[in-house]
Amino acid sequence: MDDICILAIESSCDETAAAIVKNGREVLSNVIYSQIDLHTVYGGVVPEIASRKHIEKINQVVDKALKDAGLTFNDIDGIAVTYGPGLVGALLVGVSFAKSLSFATDIPLIGVHHIEGHICANYIENKDLKPPFMALVVSGGHTHLVKVKDYGEYEILGRTRDDAAGEAFDKVARAIGLGYPGGPKVDKVSKEGNPEAIVFPKAKVNDSIYDFSFSGLKSAVLNYLNQAEMKGETIVVADVAASFQKAVVDVLVDHTVAAAKEYGFKEVALAGGVASNSGLREAMEEACSKNGVTLYRPSPIFCTDNAAMIGVAGYYEYIKGNRSDYHLNAVPNLKLGDR
Ligand code: KG4
Ligand code: ZN
């Protein structure tokens, strides 16, 4: 079979990214322009600023992806683009750009689900990984426990009822003065803290054992901080961070291992920005190996938003014959499994 090269574009949040992926597993280039510095002063992503910066950067980023791979449009078989979920204005930049490129070059267009991309990031460094397996998707906007039944076929076993795991990291980081982006900062200071210092509640959702809830934990951290302040006690930021991180990680690990056992999965994959959390990676590795489960974790660069993962997902859609037409639109609340 001839090689299939996918040019992928990702602009759902605050990373303008393009990549080229060969045969679904080999990343020929992976260009990420991160806007983090621009948004840091506001304490979070400002959607309008994100869209404008995507417009400024997208051309350069796509050009660089082609150059780094040493390819031209003549070598590209499909143009994959994230069309949801995400910020509507940000998504629209990638979608419009990809549609124009497809129209101008006659290369087929493939709309990709962002979360499917996160899951597919696991295929890049694990050439033997194939469905079925179970995935825990933990990002800034999503917390899903997913049965990956086949390429492009998913069943959600559990989801968050309120805040996503990454959102909880970001909110707690702000409350303890670490600022944005919160997840990596909490991860870093947690290494100096005692995770047993404060016992925060581990949220359970009674009517659905695999669902998650993180807003109660966030409130517990805020209450702890307020009470400590009222009593004039010193707050040890590293201890709060480590104890909070432990509470999140324990729930993620417990649910994942329990679901893997119940559904008989021997392979589990982590996905999404929070999957780069060192505490989660260690605890999940330990729990999986105790239970005879193999754990897959993409390198941190493929956990946070990137276009390589979109190229992988795009490849599997491409070989199934799935194509999008020029009516492809940004769908900010696209559900996993919808096409
Ligand atoms: O997947 P992602 O890049 O974007 C979304 O699709 O949302 O995830 C971003 C989220 C943010 O909430 C960020 O704080 C979190 O992932 N994150 C982390 C770490 N690195 C990124 N959370 C905990 N520990 C980390 N090391
Ligand atoms: Zn993401």
Side-chain angles (χ1 to χ4, degrees), residues 234-277:
T234 339
I235 293 160
V236 182
V237 169
D239 284 351
V240 180
S243 304
F244 158 77
Q245 181 171 293
K246 179 179 171 9
V248 176
V249 166
D250 283 354
V251 173
L252 294 174
V253 171
D254 287 354
H255 281 37
T256 306
V257 172
K261 274 187 180 166
E262 180 178 339
Y263 293 97
F265 282 106
K266 288 280 165 218
E267 293 179 308
V268 165
L270 295 182
V274 184
S276 60
N277 181 269

Side-chain angles (χ1 to χ4, degrees), residues 137-150:
V137 185
V138 273
S139 71
H142 297 84
T143 306
H144 284 350
L145 203 47
V146 183
K147 252 191 202 181
V148 182
K149 299 203 277 191
D150 202 343

Side-chain angles (χ1 to χ4, degrees), residues 114 118 139 305 309:
H114 182 76
H118 274 303
S139 71
D305 287 348
M309 66 184 198

Side-chain angles (χ1 to χ4, degrees), residues 10 12-15 85 114-115 118 137-142 164-170 180-188 245 271-280 300 303-306 309:
E10 155 65 40
S12 66
C13 191
D14 59 346
E15 264 91 27
H114 182 76
I115 301 300
H118 274 303
V137 185
V138 273
S139 71
H142 297 84
E167 201 178 344
F169 268 96
D170 293 336
Y180 173 85
K185 294 192 170 162
V186 171
D187 191 355
K188 197 164 167 222
Q245 181 171 293
V274 184
S276 60
N277 181 269
S278 55
L280 175 63
C303 286
T304 43
D305 287 348
N306 66 88
M309 66 184 198

